[in-house]
Amino acid sequence: MSLRLREMTRTGGLQLVCLVISVGFFALPLIYLALQAFKTNNEFLNDPTGLPHSWTMSNFSDAWTEGDFSSEMVNSLLYAIVPDVITLILGVFLAFPISRGWFKHSNALYGFFVFSGFLPAGLIPLFIEAQKIGTYNSRIGYLIMTSLTGAGFFFFVGYIKTIPREMDEAAALDGCGYIRYIFTMIIPQMKPALATFGIFGFVAGWNNLILPLVMLNDQSLWPVTRGLFSFFGQYSSQWPLVSAATIIVALPILAVFAILQRNLVEGVAGGAAAGSRGVNTAQPVENNE
Amino acid sequence: MSTIPFGTKRTRRWLPWASIAVPTIGWLVFGLFPSVSTVFFSFTEYSGFPGTPLHFCGLCNYHNAFNSSWTDFSTSVTVTLKYVAGVTILQITIGLGLALLLRHRRRGFGFYRALIFMPQVFSVTIVGVLFSLVFDPQNGPAEPMYHGLFGSTSAFLGDQTWALWLVIMINVWMFAGYTMLVYIAALRRIPPELYEAASLDGAGRFRTFRHITWPLLANATTVNVFLTAMGCVGEFALIRVLTDGHYGTKTLGMYMFDTAFGVNPSLGYGSMLAVAQFLITLVIGSVLLFFLRRREVTL
């Protein structure tokens, strides 16, 4: 009996430690920020660390109108979804022939793509280039730039290899065209991989700050992250208003996270397994002669 | 080389090429070309204002880095190295600690893991604003705590001695969840028989960790250290929001951003800084891989 009691206090203690760490360190700062959003500015200045007394909602509506977040939300959605979808589809089109070894030097090409990820950051030349070819300060231009930088297909190559070649041949014999085959067979087969990368791509696209900072000058083109950044600069002394704006910007991504957290967490664990294989063995792509 | 089964005899030759054409051209134009031309621009004097000439000047930017701009340059290199070392060491330690704590499948652990991973999905803007509030010297909650502990005041993110370490900690706060998940995935692959054998041999917790867990985590450690270190050499978005590179937080990336897109832009000198950052990445990366992978082999 005393053994069970000790066991129980031990698990209880462990649970407590985990709860304190995860909630105390990782959730509490956000909760604290959220609480400020319900205070009036005077209330905040008088008692910054206390709970809100009146629970005012006006900060949210004020921030929403003054920060022009409604149009920025639309921009953000556009900047997150369009490049994400295009990158995934183009990634499959790129990975499919490479993984099948339909080129003379598909290994070399693959290696070259991987290698290029280690080259110097190209932000400055990209800025110069964008001004020359007209993608600077333009919504379409920004979408083109972010849709076509297309990394992230590396994992697809390995994934497509698990889809048997016999399927290609059977489909081709039955008269299925190349593009139709990719859309009706390969892409549905790759759903788990595409979902994982799609989620990460969406989050990355939504969260990007530096590229909008450099490439988008017009306020009407800004995504919410960029909008919040300048809102913060403008109203830095009015914490309740800034807190409300931050919560507005954080909520959509928090909702996405809450719905998809299981997939995200598993995606990282799975990707880690794939990644550790990649870094350690660094095997070249198999080439079936 | 296998042949493509799709298409007619005539289309077979170019069908794979057509398939990769758009993504490859896009990558060449918006990925590889800017990346490589950073090196070209680092040999030029160019302000970036439309209409101003681009003047090729050889190694002038490199010369400046070691002469007229030496103080700024060497400081930013030192800050970058401190930043990389600080983030990597802290993140690996904390990530491993959290992974050991939350490795098992118990009630509530999925929730804790999700909470710890959560900051990852936020934009640096959100995290930046959040911690600017927490460390606000007038109204933030950190101030009374600090005052209670040390009896003095601090400007936190506006404090020369504290700012860099706070930024490092905030970076770790944001990304420790990722490290933790990689470690948990690796811990799950360790065969439980090893632990049974160790406990039969009477090995204590510390010895089990020292002789079984830690060596078997070598792969995961390589991945974690490499990804963390490589990921933060060029990091400056978070710094841009938190301190804008003031108070001793100007990493090479931040310095580059300031130089290229600040008040008196110099895209040439900025490109040189990007090249310098690349060289540092290369050196740190190869040294890390060399040591970490040797460690794996000697197991």
Side-chain angles (χ1 to χ4, degrees):
Chain A
M1 191 62 201
S2 78
L3 202 80
R4 256 194 75 196
L5 200 70
R6 221 161 68 193
E7 186 71 29
M8 270 167 67
T9 47
R10 218 165 98 193
T11 35
L14 185 70
Q15 286 278 351
L16 194 69
V17 169
C18 296
L19 189 74
V20 165
I21 290 177
S22 58
V23 174
F25 281 104
F26 291 89
L28 200 60
L30 275 166
I31 297 171
Y32 181 80
L33 181 89
L35 286 178
Q36 309 314 317
F38 294 99
K39 292 178 183 172
T40 62
N41 209 35
N42 274 336
E43 197 186 339
F44 172 77
L45 290 174
N46 290 331
D47 182 18
T49 45
L51 282 172
H53 293 297
S54 49
W55 294 90
T56 164
M57 295 297 286
S58 63
N59 289 318
F60 289 97
S61 49
D62 288 354
W64 181 263
T65 45
E66 275 170 64
D68 198 18
F69 285 113
S70 52
S71 68
E72 285 171 5
M73 284 283 178
V74 177
N75 283 336
S76 269
L77 270 179
L78 217 58
Y79 297 157
I81 292 174
V82 174
D84 196 24
V85 172
I86 296 180
T87 311
L88 288 181
I89 292 175
L90 289 182
V92 174
F93 270 90
L94 184 59
F96 183 48
I98 288 181
S99 70
R100 291 295 193 240
W102 286 333
F103 294 108
K104 239 191 184 125
H105 301 293
S106 49
N107 277 349
L109 190 70
Y110 180 74
F112 196 55
F113 272 109
V114 176
F115 164 76
S116 76
F118 294 96
L119 289 173
L123 187 63
I124 294 171
L126 190 63
F127 171 70
I128 299 170
E129 188 184 325
Q131 287 180 325
K132 291 257 156 69
I133 63 176
T135 51
Y136 174 76
N137 209 16
S138 127
R139 195 177 276 124
I140 302 288
Y142 185 82
L143 288 174
I144 291 175
M145 281 189 286
T146 45
S147 303
L148 293 182
T149 26
F153 79 100
F154 310 119
F155 293 91
F156 295 175
V157 173
Y159 202 93
I160 292 177
K161 277 189 184 155
T162 64
I163 302 171
R165 278 160 179 275
E166 286 74 25
M167 254 173 68
D168 305 1
E169 276 143 29
L173 271 180
D174 286 346
C176 179
Y178 183 75
I179 293 174
R180 196 174 133 206
Y181 182 69
I182 287 187
F183 276 104
T184 57
M185 300 301 289
I186 296 289
I187 288 181
Q189 291 269 333
M190 291 182 65
K191 252 184 205 154
L194 291 176
T196 308
F197 280 92
I199 297 164
F200 278 101
F202 178 86
V203 171
W206 183 280
N207 284 342
N208 201 341
L209 172 68
I210 296 301
L211 209 59
L213 211 54
V214 172
M215 296 293 178
L216 302 170
N217 206 13
D218 259 344
Q219 193 172 349
S220 63
L221 305 177
W222 288 353
V224 278
T225 48
R226 172 79 174 86
L228 176 65
F229 181 62
S230 75
F231 189 84
F232 175 50
Q234 206 176 337
Y235 297 93
S236 57
S237 53
Q238 298 181 43
W239 273 113
L241 195 63
V242 171
S243 302
T246 312
I247 294 302
I248 289 173
V249 174
L251 266 184
I253 209 83
L254 199 62
V256 170
F257 176 70
I259 297 165
L260 298 171
Q261 54 93 3
R262 203 163 297 237
N263 308 52
L264 272 169
V265 167
E266 269 164 30
V268 170
S276 64
R277 252 177 276 138
V279 173
N280 286 307
T281 48
Q283 270 171 353
V285 184
E286 293 144 281
N287 200 349
N288 300 37
E289 279 291 336
Chain B
M1 201 179 88
S2 53
T3 44
I4 172 168
F6 294 98
T8 62
K9 210 168 200 172
R10 223 155 44 96
T11 56
R12 264 174 209 180
R13 197 170 305 154
W14 55 261
L15 204 51
W17 293 103
S19 176
I20 68 161
V22 175
T24 308
I25 290 170
W27 165 74
L28 285 174
V29 173
F30 299 110
L32 187 70
F33 177 70
S35 194
V36 171
S37 44
T38 299
V39 181
F40 167 78
F41 283 110
S42 76
F43 297 127
T44 65
E45 252 175 351
Y46 184 42
S47 72
F49 286 122
T52 51
L54 185 145
H55 171 65
F56 192 79
C57 70
L59 290 171
C60 63
N61 294 314
Y62 295 85
H63 181 82
N64 287 347
F66 288 95
N67 291 285
S68 56
S69 307
W70 172 244
T71 338
D72 286 341
F73 181 71
S74 60
T75 313
S76 71
V77 171
T78 320
V79 170
T80 307
L81 293 179
K82 273 190 201 168
Y83 188 72
V84 173
V87 170
T88 309
I89 293 169
L90 269 179
Q91 194 165 313
I92 297 301
T93 318
I94 292 173
L96 179 61
L98 291 170
L100 289 171
L101 198 63
L102 294 168
R103 62 196 288 192
H104 298 294
R105 294 178 204 273
R106 287 222 179 100
R107 204 192 323 161
F109 277 28
F111 172 71
Y112 304 145
R113 283 194 288 264
L115 270 190
I116 293 170
F117 183 77
M118 177 187 61
Q120 199 112 185
V121 300
F122 291 127
S123 163
V124 286
T125 324
I126 294 170
V127 175
V129 173
L130 172 62
F131 279 97
S132 299
L133 168 65
V134 170
F135 291 112
D136 186 69
Q138 264 103 49
N139 304 307
E143 213 291 318
M145 277 189 239
Y146 186 89
H147 198 85
L149 280 174
F150 302 105
S152 58
T153 54
S154 168
F156 297 109
L157 289 164
D159 187 325
Q160 194 81 20
T161 49
W162 276 105
L164 181 64
W165 302 109
L166 286 176
V167 176
I168 287 173
M169 282 194 277
I170 293 164
N171 193 324
V172 172
W173 179 84
M174 204 171 165
F175 295 108
Y178 186 90
T179 310
M180 172 190 76
L181 286 181
V182 174
Y183 270 132
I184 288 178
L187 283 167
R188 294 234 169 103
R189 287 197 298 270
I190 298 178
E193 298 85 40
L194 288 174
Y195 289 115
E196 282 163 30
S199 77
L200 279 179
D201 289 344
R205 263 193 189 184
F206 179 74
R207 287 192 39 176
T208 314
F209 176 77
R210 168 88 182 72
H211 293 288
I212 296 177
T213 312
W214 180 241
L216 287 175
L217 287 179
N219 284 5
T221 306
T222 305
V223 174
N224 273 335
V225 172
F226 191 76
L227 286 183
T228 310
M230 295 297 95
C232 69
V233 180
E235 166 60 39
F236 63 91
L238 189 63
I239 300 175
R240 174 78 183 82
V241 184
L242 283 168
T243 63
D244 199 12
H246 298 301
Y247 314 108
T249 58
K250 195 175 269 187
T251 58
L252 266 175
M254 190 64 227
Y255 188 26
M256 181 276 287
F257 188 81
D258 259 6
T259 311
F261 307 106
V263 199
N264 285 315
S266 166
L267 296 183
Y269 191 73
S271 299
M272 189 283 299
L273 292 171
V275 173
Q277 181 194 306
F278 161 69
L279 292 176
I280 289 181
T281 316
L282 204 65
V283 171
I284 296 180
S286 11
V287 169
L288 279 180
L289 268 193
F290 177 77
F291 281 107
L292 289 167
R293 290 188 57 186
R294 206 176 57 165
R295 217 184 111 234
E296 287 172 21
V297 174
T298 52
L299 278 183

